[in-house]
Amino acid sequence: MTESELDVHRSATEIAEALRADVRAGLSAPRKWLPSKWFYDARGSELFEEITALPEYYPTRAEREVLAREAGSIARITGAHTLVELGSGSSEKTRLLLDGLRAHGSLRTFVPLDVSESALAQAVEAIGAEYPGLDVRGVVGDFTEHLGLLPGEPPRLVAFLGGTLGNFLPAERGKFLRSVRDVLAPGEWFLLGTDLVKDPGTLVRAYDDSAGVTAEFNRNVLRVVNEVLGADFDPDAFEHVAHWDADNEWIEMRLRTPEAVRVSIPGAGMEVSFEAGEDIRTEISAKFRREGLVAELADAGFEVRQWWTDAQGRFGVSLARAIS
């Protein structure tokens, strides 16, 4: 076995079928929506990396601060032989965990999972070069579907960083957390990054930056639909909207058309009409409170053993143990 491998569990045909199903369901709904996972083709991944460097987008810096400070503790507590990262992207922050686990002497295998084959291939190649002797096994797949196919010997540490848990609706969140618990043996570990509730101004600015990068990222979902399903969306005709929902304590990202338009989507066998001012919800990003998150993890079969935040208390990182 080579030191770096890529296991593909989702072909281009399967990706198109999944997108087709989501487009049919979401764009025929009374309040239109598209899943946020479709932002992430190669261009979408590049745009997100740009977002993480923006002055308004604090979550990446805050989470990195925690990981830089606590990576050694995480390694000592878990003694993980395998590090699994869900939705890895470029795996930039994960290098802090890799360094901690390598210094501890326990790490043997790194398993990044991502839906974007191109982004994952680049990450696997880079990490394989940076960490000689480490078994790097990239998995192209959807972390809501392919968790049971993850390789690696126990004890495993599954990392789900970046606040991505907030992209699930509450019922979906519970299902996802239970699916992670189901693939772990009692005593294995789950490292979770979650953005915390704070003042609405800070939150909205993080999702509506002055440079317009997040707006382009938001519109990229329409470009993906065009590319994969042959649609004729004009992405520039849709305005980016970031809205704080105080009742649900989440940010909603939307795409809004100022004028009535009709869009043909041949690959989904449909045409979609939009009224002037109509929205497509493209993402929710829930913000958490510690007590609520601990309860959700407990419901899924995890016991939170450590809780850390950055110095300003903006972002939480929890280390939870799978219990029987």
Side-chain angles (χ1 to χ4, degrees):
M1 182 172 63
T2 63
E3 291 183 353
S4 299
E5 294 186 0
L6 200 63
D7 299 334
V8 180
H9 293 299
R10 176 166 270 200
S11 68
T13 298
E14 290 169 327
I15 290 171
E17 290 174 353
L19 177 59
R20 182 181 302 114
D22 285 341
V23 165
R24 285 174 174 167
L27 296 187
S28 63
R31 295 187 63 189
K32 296 180 176 62
W33 54 271
L34 288 170
S36 58
K37 65 183 178 182
W38 299 114
F39 291 139
Y40 296 97
D41 63 352
R43 177 57 179 154
S45 296
E46 290 173 359
L47 285 167
F48 185 72
E49 291 302 315
E50 291 182 34
I51 288 170
T52 64
L54 293 169
E56 298 95 334
Y57 195 78
Y58 63 86
T60 299
R61 291 187 297 277
E63 186 177 46
R64 186 186 296 117
E65 176 188 323
V66 176
L67 295 176
R69 188 183 70 224
E70 303 296 346
S73 297
I74 293 166
R76 288 191 299 274
I77 293 167
T78 65
H81 291 176
T82 299
L83 173 62
V84 177
E85 186 180 14
L86 308 180
S88 64
S90 67
S91 298
E92 188 270 332
K93 283 178 295 188
T94 315
R95 286 167 170 80
L96 297 168
L97 295 173
L98 292 172
D99 290 342
L101 288 163
R102 291 266 281 195
H104 182 66
S106 60
L107 184 65
R108 300 175 185 173
T109 305
F110 175 48
V111 182
L113 181 148
D114 200 87
V115 70
S116 171
E117 182 173 352
S118 57
L120 187 61
Q122 293 174 12
V124 165
E125 182 178 0
I127 290 173
E130 290 175 39
Y131 295 86
L134 180 64
D135 181 18
V136 182
R137 297 289 301 273
V139 177
V140 180
D142 187 326
F143 51 66
T144 64
E145 299 177 21
H146 299 118
L147 291 182
L149 301 174
L150 295 174
E153 69 175 62
R156 291 171 295 175
L157 169 63
V158 174
F160 192 44
L161 303 175
T164 309
L165 182 69
N167 296 149
F168 293 101
L169 292 166
E172 297 170 339
R173 224 159 50 215
K175 180 180 178 182
F176 169 75
L177 291 172
R178 286 188 293 274
S179 72
V180 175
R181 172 62 190 87
D182 287 346
V183 302
L184 296 177
E188 293 190 303
W189 298 92
F190 184 42
L191 185 71
L192 179 62
T194 45
D195 198 9
L196 304 179
V197 174
K198 59 187 64 65
D199 68 281
T202 298
L203 288 166
V204 171
R205 285 192 296 274
Y207 292 83
D208 193 11
D209 62 277
S210 58
V213 181
T214 309
E216 282 304 296
F217 176 69
N218 196 5
R219 295 185 187 102
N220 198 62
V221 71
L222 303 182
R223 297 187 180 97
V224 170
V225 176
N226 285 350
E227 175 68 24
V228 178
L229 299 180
D232 59 0
F233 277 105
D234 177 5
D236 293 331
F238 285 76
E239 299 173 345
H240 167 67
V241 178
H243 168 72
W244 171 244
D245 183 329
D247 292 333
N248 289 304
E249 294 191 321
W250 66 45
I251 287 280
E252 283 193 10
M253 290 209 318
R254 306 170 183 168
L255 291 170
R256 178 176 297 161
T257 174
E259 300 178 357
V261 296
R262 188 168 181 83
V263 177
S264 175
I265 313 177
M270 64 190 302
E271 291 194 352
V272 182
S273 295
F274 294 85
E275 298 178 1
E278 189 172 1
D279 293 345
I280 309 171
R281 188 180 72 186
T282 53
E283 181 178 85
I284 67 164
S285 185
K287 308 307 170 186
F288 294 85
R289 301 179 187 271
R290 178 178 178 176
E291 60 273 16
L293 183 64
V294 169
E296 289 190 45
L297 286 166
D299 287 344
F302 289 103
E303 178 187 16
V304 174
R305 299 293 292 272
Q306 297 288 334
W307 169 264
W308 301 287
T309 71
D310 63 294
Q312 296 183 47
R314 299 167 297 177
F315 197 95
V317 176
S318 52
L319 180 61
R321 188 171 182 267
I323 55 179
S324 56

